[in-house]
Amino acid sequence: MRESGEPVRFHIGRAMVGGEEPVIIAGPCSIENPEMILETARTIRKVLVDELGLRNVIIRGGAWKPRTSPYSFQGHGVKALEWLREAGDKTGLPVMTEVMDPRDVSVAAEYVDAIWVGARNMQNTPLLRELARAGKPVFLKRHFGATINEWLCSAEYLLAGGLEEVALIERGTRCINEYARFSLDITVVPIIRKLSRLPIVVDVSHPAGRRDLVPWLARAALAAGAHGLMIEVHPEPEKALSDSKQQLSFSEFAETMRMLRGMRLL
Ligand code: PEP
Ligand code: MN
């Protein structure tokens, strides 16, 4: 296993992943049109960079969406990547997206600074191999039914393929809590910090499934020692084409970030 050795740290643009200061990966669930991704990126920049003085900021947005129903919005694909790249260039922030299909890896790598593997594709080994070949930094989400060791073995596919810039994202488990979308097991954070040299980020939006829980999960994740947060933000969450219940509005996002700063977690 290549999982032993010095802790992994890497830069994505100006953002440092795995360092002392947490990274904030924020943006909409799906990139719905060019205006909304630019407006969201500008707001994130204003709050995190201009107001709070953070450097470790990455814009997220889905171009290919893993939807339960084939009749739900599936994402705008490569067009969305163009809009995302433009939003990144205009704000000076690095951008990342999810890739599900190994055939989309090379086109995605032309547009984005990093790629995340969604929960449902954690064990999509042809995808992991292709990502290792592409050489872009990869954030690997844990599947909601996968064990920690299965997750770390999937990360090994990336490391064994020669990729050094790999981080993990915890995003909750399918469980007994019917008041949240998934159960967020915060013990994963210190366990990964002990077991693995890879940075551990917590996605606080997907386990919550509802906006009111997001700030609480964010403070818990950072207090537990996470190297960063992934958090969904949308200009008009109630009108979002995916995950409308859990995305934060701009004002909710700003309040959450100020609260974390007030608690010295950011
Ligand atoms: C997402 O990040 O929008 C997403 C679909 O997440 P997950 O793969 O964790 O369900
Ligand atoms: Mn989502």
Side-chain angles (χ1 to χ4, degrees), residues 21-24 48 52 54 56 222 228-229 256-266:
E21 289 170 17
V23 61
I24 304 292
L48 295 183
L52 299 180
L54 302 183
N56 299 336
L222 292 179
L229 302 176
T256 303
M257 294 299 127
R258 288 178 197 133
M259 178 267 289
L260 296 174
R261 166 53 63 85
M263 298 179 82
R264 297 176 185 269
L265 292 169
L266 270 189

Short mmCIF file of all heavy atoms in Angstrom, two decimals, residues 21-24 48 52 54 56 222 228-229 256-266:
data_model
loop_
_atom_site.label_atom_id
_atom_site.label_comp_id
_atom_site.label_asym_id
_atom_site.label_seq_id
_atom_site.Cartn_x
_atom_site.Cartn_y
_atom_site.Cartn_z
N GLU A 21 -4.64 25.32 7.22
CA GLU A 21 -5.91 26.03 7.05
C GLU A 21 -6.85 25.25 6.17
O GLU A 21 -6.46 24.75 5.11
CB GLU A 21 -5.64 27.41 6.44
CG GLU A 21 -4.96 28.31 7.44
CD GLU A 21 -4.46 29.60 6.82
OE1 GLU A 21 -4.91 29.94 5.71
OE2 GLU A 21 -3.61 30.23 7.45
N PRO A 22 -8.12 25.14 6.60
CA PRO A 22 -9.06 24.33 5.83
C PRO A 22 -9.32 24.89 4.43
O PRO A 22 -9.22 26.10 4.20
CB PRO A 22 -10.35 24.36 6.66
CG PRO A 22 -10.14 25.30 7.77
CD PRO A 22 -8.70 25.71 7.82
N VAL A 23 -9.65 23.99 3.52
CA VAL A 23 -10.05 24.41 2.18
C VAL A 23 -11.58 24.43 2.14
O VAL A 23 -12.23 23.58 2.75
CB VAL A 23 -9.45 23.44 1.12
CG1 VAL A 23 -9.94 22.01 1.27
CG2 VAL A 23 -9.74 23.93 -0.30
N ILE A 24 -12.13 25.43 1.48
CA ILE A 24 -13.58 25.49 1.30
C ILE A 24 -13.89 25.27 -0.18
O ILE A 24 -13.48 26.06 -1.04
CB ILE A 24 -14.16 26.85 1.76
CG1 ILE A 24 -13.78 27.16 3.21
CG2 ILE A 24 -15.69 26.86 1.58
CD1 ILE A 24 -14.39 26.27 4.25
N LEU A 48 -15.42 34.82 1.07
CA LEU A 48 -14.27 34.07 1.61
C LEU A 48 -12.94 34.77 1.40
O LEU A 48 -12.10 34.79 2.30
CB LEU A 48 -14.22 32.66 0.99
CG LEU A 48 -15.40 31.74 1.32
CD1 LEU A 48 -15.19 30.36 0.71
CD2 LEU A 48 -15.60 31.60 2.83
N LEU A 52 -13.20 37.53 4.41
CA LEU A 52 -12.54 36.74 5.46
C LEU A 52 -11.06 36.50 5.21
O LEU A 52 -10.36 35.97 6.07
CB LEU A 52 -13.28 35.40 5.65
CG LEU A 52 -14.75 35.51 6.08
CD1 LEU A 52 -15.37 34.13 6.23
CD2 LEU A 52 -14.89 36.29 7.39
N LEU A 54 -9.50 34.44 3.17
CA LEU A 54 -9.05 33.05 2.97
C LEU A 54 -8.41 32.89 1.60
O LEU A 54 -8.75 33.58 0.65
CB LEU A 54 -10.24 32.08 3.08
CG LEU A 54 -11.03 32.12 4.39
CD1 LEU A 54 -12.12 31.05 4.36
CD2 LEU A 54 -10.13 31.89 5.59
N ASN A 56 -7.67 29.42 0.59
CA ASN A 56 -7.96 28.04 0.17
C ASN A 56 -9.41 27.88 -0.24
O ASN A 56 -10.24 27.35 0.50
CB ASN A 56 -7.63 27.08 1.32
CG ASN A 56 -6.17 27.15 1.69
OD1 ASN A 56 -5.34 27.54 0.88
ND2 ASN A 56 -5.86 26.78 2.92
N LEU A 222 -15.21 20.72 11.08
CA LEU A 222 -13.96 21.44 11.29
C LEU A 222 -13.43 21.21 12.70
O LEU A 222 -12.22 21.02 12.89
CB LEU A 222 -14.12 22.93 11.00
CG LEU A 222 -14.37 23.27 9.51
CD1 LEU A 222 -14.54 24.78 9.34
CD2 LEU A 222 -13.24 22.77 8.62
N GLY A 228 -11.09 20.36 5.39
CA GLY A 228 -11.89 21.30 4.62
C GLY A 228 -13.33 20.85 4.54
O GLY A 228 -13.72 19.81 5.09
N LEU A 229 -14.11 21.68 3.88
CA LEU A 229 -15.54 21.44 3.72
C LEU A 229 -15.90 21.49 2.24
O LEU A 229 -15.34 22.30 1.49
CB LEU A 229 -16.36 22.54 4.40
CG LEU A 229 -16.15 22.78 5.89
CD1 LEU A 229 -16.98 23.98 6.32
CD2 LEU A 229 -16.53 21.53 6.69
N THR A 256 -22.97 31.41 7.59
CA THR A 256 -22.31 30.19 8.06
C THR A 256 -20.79 30.40 8.13
O THR A 256 -20.13 30.01 9.11
CB THR A 256 -22.65 29.01 7.12
OG1 THR A 256 -24.06 28.87 7.09
CG2 THR A 256 -22.01 27.71 7.59
N MET A 257 -20.24 31.01 7.09
CA MET A 257 -18.78 31.22 7.05
C MET A 257 -18.35 32.19 8.16
O MET A 257 -17.33 31.99 8.80
CB MET A 257 -18.35 31.72 5.67
CG MET A 257 -18.58 30.72 4.56
SD MET A 257 -17.63 29.17 4.82
CE MET A 257 -18.90 27.96 4.70
N ARG A 258 -19.17 33.23 8.39
CA ARG A 258 -18.83 34.18 9.47
C ARG A 258 -18.91 33.49 10.83
O ARG A 258 -18.11 33.76 11.72
CB ARG A 258 -19.78 35.38 9.43
CG ARG A 258 -19.50 36.29 8.26
CD ARG A 258 -20.48 37.46 8.21
NE ARG A 258 -20.43 38.05 6.89
CZ ARG A 258 -21.50 38.36 6.15
NH1 ARG A 258 -22.72 38.16 6.61
NH2 ARG A 258 -21.35 38.88 4.95
N MET A 259 -19.89 32.63 10.99
CA MET A 259 -20.02 31.89 12.25
C MET A 259 -18.78 31.02 12.48
O MET A 259 -18.21 31.00 13.58
CB MET A 259 -21.31 31.04 12.19
CG MET A 259 -21.59 30.16 13.38
SD MET A 259 -20.96 28.49 13.22
CE MET A 259 -22.04 27.80 12.00
N LEU A 260 -18.31 30.34 11.42
CA LEU A 260 -17.12 29.47 11.56
C LEU A 260 -15.91 30.31 11.90
O LEU A 260 -15.06 29.92 12.71
CB LEU A 260 -16.88 28.68 10.27
CG LEU A 260 -18.00 27.68 9.90
CD1 LEU A 260 -17.71 27.07 8.53
CD2 LEU A 260 -18.15 26.57 10.94
N ARG A 261 -15.82 31.51 11.30
CA ARG A 261 -14.70 32.39 11.61
C ARG A 261 -14.79 32.86 13.07
O ARG A 261 -13.82 32.87 13.81
CB ARG A 261 -14.71 33.58 10.64
CG ARG A 261 -13.84 34.75 11.02
CD ARG A 261 -12.38 34.39 11.31
NE ARG A 261 -11.66 33.85 10.18
CZ ARG A 261 -11.04 34.56 9.26
NH1 ARG A 261 -11.06 35.87 9.32
NH2 ARG A 261 -10.41 33.98 8.27
N GLY A 262 -16.02 33.19 13.50
CA GLY A 262 -16.23 33.63 14.88
C GLY A 262 -15.81 32.56 15.87
O GLY A 262 -15.34 32.86 16.98
N MET A 263 -15.97 31.32 15.49
CA MET A 263 -15.59 30.20 16.37
C MET A 263 -14.13 29.80 16.17
O MET A 263 -13.67 28.80 16.72
CB MET A 263 -16.47 28.98 16.08
CG MET A 263 -17.93 29.22 16.34
SD MET A 263 -18.92 27.76 15.95
CE MET A 263 -18.68 26.83 17.45
N ARG A 264 -13.42 30.57 15.36
CA ARG A 264 -12.00 30.30 15.03
C ARG A 264 -11.79 28.95 14.38
O ARG A 264 -10.74 28.31 14.54
CB ARG A 264 -11.10 30.43 16.28
CG ARG A 264 -11.11 31.83 16.86
CD ARG A 264 -10.30 31.86 18.14
NE ARG A 264 -10.40 33.17 18.76
CZ ARG A 264 -9.57 34.16 18.53
NH1 ARG A 264 -8.58 34.02 17.69
NH2 ARG A 264 -9.75 35.32 19.13
N LEU A 265 -12.80 28.50 13.65
CA LEU A 265 -12.65 27.24 12.92
C LEU A 265 -12.16 27.49 11.51
O LEU A 265 -11.76 26.55 10.80
CB LEU A 265 -13.99 26.49 12.90
CG LEU A 265 -14.44 25.96 14.26
CD1 LEU A 265 -15.89 25.49 14.21
CD2 LEU A 265 -13.53 24.81 14.72
N LEU A 266 -12.21 28.75 11.07
CA LEU A 266 -11.72 29.12 9.73
C LEU A 266 -10.63 30.15 9.84
O LEU A 266 -10.75 31.05 10.68
CB LEU A 266 -12.85 29.75 8.89
CG LEU A 266 -13.73 28.86 8.05
CD1 LEU A 266 -14.62 29.72 7.18
CD2 LEU A 266 -12.91 27.92 7.18
#
